[in-house]
Amino acid sequence: MAVTRFQFLSTFSRQFSSISNAHIVQPKLRIEEIRGKRISIFDKEYKRQQSLIPRLEKIEVAYEGFDNETTTLVMNKGVSTPYNCAQHISEHVMKNSVVAEVNGEIWDLHRPIPSDCTLKLLSMKPEDQHQASLVNKTFWRSCSYLLGAVVEGSFQDDISVTLHSFPPANVRSGSFVYDVQLSLDDWVPSLNDFRQIAATFQKFVRQNHTFQRLDIDSSVALKMFEDNVFKADQIPHIATKSSSGNTVTVYRCGDHIDISRGPMIASTSLVGRCSIAAVHRLDSRIYRFQGVALPSEIYINHFAFGILETRARKLNPARTPELKSN
Amino acid sequence: MSTVGLLRTLFNPKLLPSNVTQLQSLNRSPFLLGFLSNHEQVRNMSRVKRRNTHPGYWLSLKNVQKKDDKISADNLRFMREVIQDKYKNKSPLKVSELQIEKTEWDPKTKRSGVIARNIGRQQMWDKDGNKIVCTVLHVLDNHVIRYIPPEEYVKTSRGAIHFKNKTPLGCLVVGAEATNPEKFTRQYCNLFAEVGLMPKKTLSRFIITPNAALPPCTPITAGHFLVGQAVDVYGKTVDHGFQGVVKRWGFKGGPASHGATKFHRRGGTIGTGRDKARVWPGTKMPGHMGSERRYNRGLMIMRINMKYNVIYVKGTVPGATNSIVRIFDTLLPLRKFKEAPPHPTYFPPEDGTQKEEDIWDSRLHVFGSPSISV
């Protein structure tokens, strides 16, 4: 019975993919159901990928730490993550690492290392300018992701919320962005609404979820996101751009799963102060949620943060989502 | 009847006013000293709470508790520019008096006061050559934050206490000493954000009659007062810290020589031993002295400098140099205004004819003027 129900759903959504999707109602309970379904697919795929490793092989990880000191760590191939390496070093490094640099390439902290490499763990205050900009982008990207996660669960049961996508991280624009479709025609959020969304954001972030990364086949991804029309459209394009031609990267944070290409920060505990600056209506019910946030390690006074908030209120010039209907 | 018994009938606490300053003057009056010996005290100060150091529970946190992370020099410069842009008075229009309603002054009017800083003492000389010691008070950049009308003020906890059995009056909130908003918390800065003012270091309430109300952002300068008028200055007295009985209560102590062993500045006896057989509450002993709120009333203004906003007031003012004081029109009935003062406050005349920069009292000798006038 479940199989037929899913088949029906996928044909139903594909039929309507070319029309304005405002008529599909996704009540809140449905969102929890959807999330539960996605998580089960994610877990299944994760277990399957773990089982592909026949036996544990060892790799040598050359960790470059403070003052260019190098240590060699013997870790498990395909299983150990940079976070596990950090656990061998110190609690401070473990808690403050945002993202890793594996052989010069930016790497998620909870992503398994496939072979011998040099490892660097970057914190929120790196010395190098180039490293700092990479960390900044990662942070911005993660905040966009989190904004989507929070917005999906923020609305009342009778309003349908469909996440569209978020543009690549651009710190210079002044805000991180998520484009969402709502079944509201002319919604002008009040100050209280902004505060409420920000409060939900803070609450979610304080639960210290880690970002779990998974590379999945596009067919699995389509099954996962069959109820979200926009994502279902985007998955084939994303898959063709990937290195193997068929994989899509998804991240899981708490109960939420979303598609994203780039690396994310280690855990939500690294996000500190945040505020939702503005919601701009793009067109045909697509709203651009904009926010600004600071890492928990960095503290600036309220006046300086106020300047950042004022800047974040301007409409972000990032690419707007195009609807096939228009 | 014993001396103490007589004193007790004379000083029945129920008959005495609750005002602390008046009690002190009664204690020191020559009438009493005749009855008092060195060791018999009048204990009416028992359990009076003279000072506290904690802020009121209703106040929001003022100063930031956390230190900023290192911000680059570029960013600091940018923030300074933003602050200047935000708080600079950008309107090209002249501030006109016409915005403020012209109200009539009557002898029962209570005008606003002013927040000033005591910057030290100076001497003035009158034309007969007599020295007059004056305290120099610098009127800081006072701006009106808001006006609370009588009906609203009575509903607040402070207003309810103030006007328990009297006709309610309005309250003017005035702030002085604009400072960098980064030093204060957001809640404190929001008090000023509504009027668009830079956050002030000091805030004060002045009880005024409704006809002396001023709109927010009105500046109050030294010209608010007139030379020759009497003012009351309110401040916190000099903090002497923990002081002994000789300095604190004026005890005579003991002899410096003639065999006195370790009894030079001590209090001596603290009770009789018979009557009540304990130390009575309020017994004068060493303790914290100073840092109390006091008014010096009826001080005459000898000179006002309009350019630097400085007032020279005859006499001394409670508090140490560089402390903040509040200046009001006097309450003393014989020294009150007989003619209208600048009401509700002083505004420089629009046609450009400024008041002279330095206004001296008529009986003072102006420095720089010839000593013999021909």
Side-chain angles (χ1 to χ4, degrees), chain A residues 26-28 31 151-161 183:
Chain A
Q26 279 186 333
K28 197 167 187 176
I31 286 179
V151 164
E152 203 177 33
S154 292
F155 287 86
Q156 293 199 5
D157 298 350
D158 53 339
I159 299 166
S160 89
V161 181
S183 67

Side-chain angles (χ1 to χ4, degrees), chain A residues 273 297-299 301-303, chain B residues 68-69 83 181-182 184 186:
Chain A
R273 187 145 179 210
E297 252 186 72
I298 293 169
Y299 170 78
N301 60 68
H302 68 94
F303 190 78
Chain B
D68 265 5
D69 265 325
I83 292 171
E182 298 173 47
F184 300 126
R186 188 158 35 123

